[in-house]
């Protein structure tokens, strides 16, 4: 089943064309790693999918419903309802620094979904256990390491029970050791068949955990395939060049 | 000593207006300043321009002038003037609220700008409405940044209340001045100074506590 699709997606920042007629789709339960040169529009595409960036043209379809059709967005209420099916994890974590970890997790379920507090708290503790931070419920975000912050951010996104989870370079601001603990959580989710789109520079993750690797460059997708195809025998010379430069 | 206590008694007669003016100004100008700050940060150029002009006017002219304008001046506006005439104390309150709202607006605007863009994005992808984002995410974080300058303004406000003596509001300084003139003795000014010091000291302590509460 198709979870998410972008068709003919275009996006420019002023004169600067970032995405040109990009077609991209994700199946249910699939983990897609999006890799490529810096500035190739990976993050922009991801941000367009969840309405953080306004695309100029194209369709965005989430589980059969149009977030954008022919460059026209759904009405605000629809848009919010459709976007609520997706969660997002940011490079800079973006935890709420003024409340503790537990409140970071329960705020959205409580205030957006009107979930009873006791129930939200119980679920939050489960999620924190899942990401290995059961003992940090009362900690303030600023007292956590980067890796812990990112795991809290993942738990916070999961609290809203999204059908798709988008990761925008989730480990790019972490040192290698902390990267490992975040990737471990993401691999766990991938193994549970969570649908995920991961923009990343972690080739190890793309190789081991992704079902499909998408390579972006020159305003669009240059090539995509299984990790074995992409890392073993890429066809596009630009992809070949990139792969050989990092391995 | 007797004279000192007698002065304390006399001056505390003015506390009603000093504290009253302070309380009313804080209670009204903080929310008004916050509302102005949001308008000032609005996407609408016209709204931004209006609020910018307001802040420019209120911060760019002396408070004492504004006080005279609202108490003595409004009466002389043709036709509508007679409806705008206010008693001394209400005129003082209106002037102070309008003036201080402009300062608080600028403080809050700075606070709003200090909240990271990522916070808005995180709130959005979690499904928060704009109002929820403002209330749960933006304002609590803004307060941390805004509190120290708000403390400063609040202390300035305590002292500024003495200005309303100029339009004859019978606050602390008013009584001090009459006592000095009547008794030909400077002690009343010293007592008044002590009154202001006690008030500003109390405020400083209160805001210290608040700053601790809102830190993270």
């Amino acid at each position: 089943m198709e979870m998410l699709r972008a068709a003919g997606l275009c996006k420019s920042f002023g004169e600067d064309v970032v995405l040109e007629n990009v077609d991209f789709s994700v199946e249910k339960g699939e983990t897609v790693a999006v890799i490529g040169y810096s500035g190739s529009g990976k993050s922009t595409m991801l941000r367009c999918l969840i309405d953080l960036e306004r695309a100029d043209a194209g369709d965005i379809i989430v589980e059969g419903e149009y977030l954008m059709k022919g460059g026209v967005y759904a009405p605000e209420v629809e848009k919010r309802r459709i976007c609520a099916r997706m969660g997002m994890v940011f490079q800079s974590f973006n935890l709420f620094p003024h409340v503790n970890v537990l409140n970071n997790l329960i705020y959205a379920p409580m205030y957006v979904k009107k979930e009873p507090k006791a129930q939200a708290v119980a679920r939050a503790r489960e999620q924190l256990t899942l990401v290995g931070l059961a003992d940090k419920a009362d900690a303030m975000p600023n007292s956590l390491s980067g890796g812990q912050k990112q795991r809290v951010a993942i738990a916070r996104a999961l609290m809203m029970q999204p059908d798709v989870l988008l990761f925008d370079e989730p480990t790019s601001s972490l040192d290698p050791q902390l990267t490992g603990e975040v990737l471990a959580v993401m691999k766990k989710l991938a193994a549970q068949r969570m649908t995920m789109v991961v923009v990343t520079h972690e080739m190890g993750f793309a190789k081991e955990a992704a079902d499909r690797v998408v390579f972006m460059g020159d305003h669009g997708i240059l090539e995509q395939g299984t990790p074995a195809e992409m890392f073993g025998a890429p066809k596009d010379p630009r992809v070949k060049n990139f792969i050989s430069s990092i391995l | 000593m007797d004279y000192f206590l007698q002065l304390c008694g006399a001056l505390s007669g003015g506390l009603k207006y000093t504290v009253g003016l302070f309380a009313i100004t804080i209670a009204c100008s903080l929310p008004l300043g916050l509302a102005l700050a949001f308008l000032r940060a609005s996407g609408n150029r016209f709204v931004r321009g209006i609020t910018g002009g307001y802040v420019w006017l209120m911060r760019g002219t002396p408070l004492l002038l504004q006080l005279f304008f609202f108490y003595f001046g409004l009466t002389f506006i043709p036709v509508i003037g007679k409806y705008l005439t206010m008693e001394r104390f209400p005129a003082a309150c209106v002037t102070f609220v309008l003036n201080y709202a402009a300062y608080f607006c600028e403080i809050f605007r700075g606070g709003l700008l200090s909240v990271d863009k990522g916070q808005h994005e995180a709130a959005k992808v979690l499904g928060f409405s704009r109002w929820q984002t403002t209330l749960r995410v933006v304002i609590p974080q803004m307060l941390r940044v805004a509190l120290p300058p708000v403390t400063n303004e609040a202390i300035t406000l305590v002292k500024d209340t003495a200005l309303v003596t100029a339009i004859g509001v019978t606050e602390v300084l008013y009584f001090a001045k009459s006592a000095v003139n009547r008794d030909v003795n400077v002690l009343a000014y010293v007592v008044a100074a002590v009154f202001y010091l006690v008030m500003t000291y109390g405020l400083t302590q209160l805001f210290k506590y608040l700053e601790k509460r809102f830190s993270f």
Side-chain angles (χ1 to χ4, degrees):
Chain A
M1 194 189 111
E2 192 177 78
M3 203 59 144
L4 185 58
R5 164 180 289 277
L9 199 65
C10 298
K11 173 69 185 173
S12 305
F13 292 105
E15 299 276 283
D16 192 10
V17 179
V18 182
L19 301 175
E20 206 173 357
N21 270 319
V22 174
D23 295 317
F24 174 76
S25 72
V26 187
E27 292 293 312
K28 186 175 163 60
E30 193 182 24
T31 297
V32 180
V34 181
I35 62 171
Y37 298 105
S38 296
S40 59
K42 308 185 295 287
S43 289
T44 303
M45 179 180 77
L46 201 69
R47 291 167 59 82
C48 282
L49 293 177
I50 195 165
D51 193 36
L52 285 177
E53 218 64 77
R54 217 182 156 77
D56 302 326
D59 300 338
I60 297 171
I61 307 153
V62 184
E63 295 181 85
E65 288 195 274
Y66 282 93
L67 174 65
M68 182 172 86
K69 188 173 189 177
V72 181
Y73 278 90
E76 191 62 35
V77 180
E78 283 284 285
K79 226 165 65 169
R80 274 184 67 186
R81 191 176 56 78
I82 293 169
C83 285
R85 297 186 183 149
M86 297 179 278
M88 176 128 173
V89 174
F90 299 89
Q91 178 181 347
S92 51
F93 326 125
N94 298 348
L95 294 179
F96 302 137
H98 59 294
V99 292
N100 66 19
V101 166
L102 187 71
N103 281 326
N104 262 280
L105 265 65
I106 66 174
Y107 261 28
M110 262 171 55
Y111 298 127
V112 177
K113 286 190 172 169
K114 313 291 174 208
E115 182 175 345
K117 184 173 179 180
Q119 190 187 324
V121 168
R123 287 205 303 119
R125 295 202 186 276
E126 277 169 34
Q127 291 296 349
L128 286 175
T129 308
L130 185 83
V131 299
L133 293 170
D135 56 331
K136 294 291 183 190
D138 299 320
M140 293 304 274
N142 287 344
S143 71
L144 302 178
S145 74
Q148 291 171 331
K149 282 183 194 171
Q150 196 59 298
R151 286 185 282 153
V152 171
I154 293 172
R156 179 175 72 172
L158 289 172
M159 284 295 286
M160 294 303 274
Q161 297 162 314
D163 296 334
V164 192
L165 204 45
L166 310 179
F167 292 81
D168 188 7
E169 304 197 21
T171 59
S172 294
S173 51
L174 302 177
D175 63 38
Q177 184 204 345
L178 300 179
T179 297
E181 63 186 53
V182 172
L183 291 180
V185 170
M186 291 167 62
K187 283 176 187 169
K188 202 149 113 187
L189 290 173
Q192 293 170 3
R193 308 317 295 168
M194 177 82 206
T195 310
M196 302 198 288
V197 182
V198 185
V199 169
T200 186
H201 294 293
E202 282 301 320
M203 296 307 143
F205 176 82
K207 248 179 177 170
E208 294 164 35
D211 300 306
R212 183 155 53 98
V213 177
V214 170
F215 189 98
M216 287 188 75
D218 297 335
H219 321 314
I221 293 171
L222 293 181
E223 189 173 344
Q224 50 183 312
T226 64
E229 290 165 357
M230 293 295 285
F231 290 103
K235 297 182 193 74
D236 192 291
R238 288 164 293 186
V239 181
K240 216 176 260 175
N241 204 357
F242 180 87
I243 300 284
S244 63
S245 75
I246 52 157
L247 289 181
Chain B
M1 191 64 201
D2 274 355
Y3 180 56
F4 178 80
L5 288 176
Q6 187 195 328
L7 281 174
C8 284
L11 264 58
S12 38
L15 274 179
K16 180 174 68 175
Y17 284 123
T18 298
V19 174
L21 179 61
F22 174 82
I24 289 170
T25 305
I26 284 288
C28 301
S29 64
L30 279 175
L32 185 59
L34 186 62
L36 284 170
F38 279 111
L39 293 177
R40 192 104 169 73
S42 109
N44 188 319
R45 265 180 68 184
F46 182 72
V47 172
R48 268 206 319 266
I50 294 273
T51 45
Y54 176 82
V55 169
W56 173 72
L57 183 71
M58 294 316 266
R59 291 204 309 174
T61 54
L63 179 55
L64 190 58
L65 184 153
Q66 294 166 15
L67 204 54
F68 286 166
F69 180 85
F70 281 105
Y71 181 59
F72 298 119
L74 287 185
T75 322
F76 303 120
I77 297 177
V79 190
I80 56 166
K82 58 176 180 284
Y83 303 108
L84 295 175
T85 309
M86 285 177 281
E87 293 290 326
R88 296 168 206 276
F89 185 66
C93 289
V94 167
T95 313
F96 272 60
V97 167
L98 293 179
N99 179 278
Y100 270 83
Y103 284 93
F104 287 136
C105 166
E106 283 304 282
I107 291 173
F108 289 143
R109 189 173 70 98
L112 289 179
L113 291 176
S114 78
V115 177
D116 187 65
K117 189 168 149 257
Q119 293 291 309
H120 292 269
E121 293 187 347
K124 182 174 178 186
V125 299
L126 286 169
F128 283 63
S129 66
R130 271 176 75 169
W131 171 240
Q132 286 170 327
T133 305
T134 303
L135 196 68
R136 303 284 173 191
V137 179
V138 175
I139 290 182
Q141 293 185 49
M142 178 208 73
L143 281 182
R144 182 184 64 152
V145 179
L147 262 178
V150 165
T151 312
N152 266 335
E153 283 307 315
I155 286 168
T156 307
L157 171 60
V158 170
K159 296 174 293 173
D160 275 354
T161 56
L163 282 175
V164 299
T165 259
I167 59 167
V169 176
T170 53
E171 43 66 70
V172 171
L173 184 63
Y174 181 92
F175 283 112
K177 193 170 147 226
S178 6
V180 167
N181 288 343
R182 186 187 63 221
D183 304 336
V184 204
N185 187 323
V186 78
L187 190 63
Y189 282 147
V190 177
V191 174
V194 171
F195 272 48
Y196 288 112
L197 280 172
V198 168
M199 286 186 278
T200 49
Y201 178 78
L203 264 184
T204 317
Q205 294 307 311
L206 172 69
F207 277 102
K208 246 190 206 157
Y209 165 76
L210 287 177
E211 261 174 56
K212 227 182 238 161
R213 265 214 56 188
F214 282 100
S215 71
F216 47 80

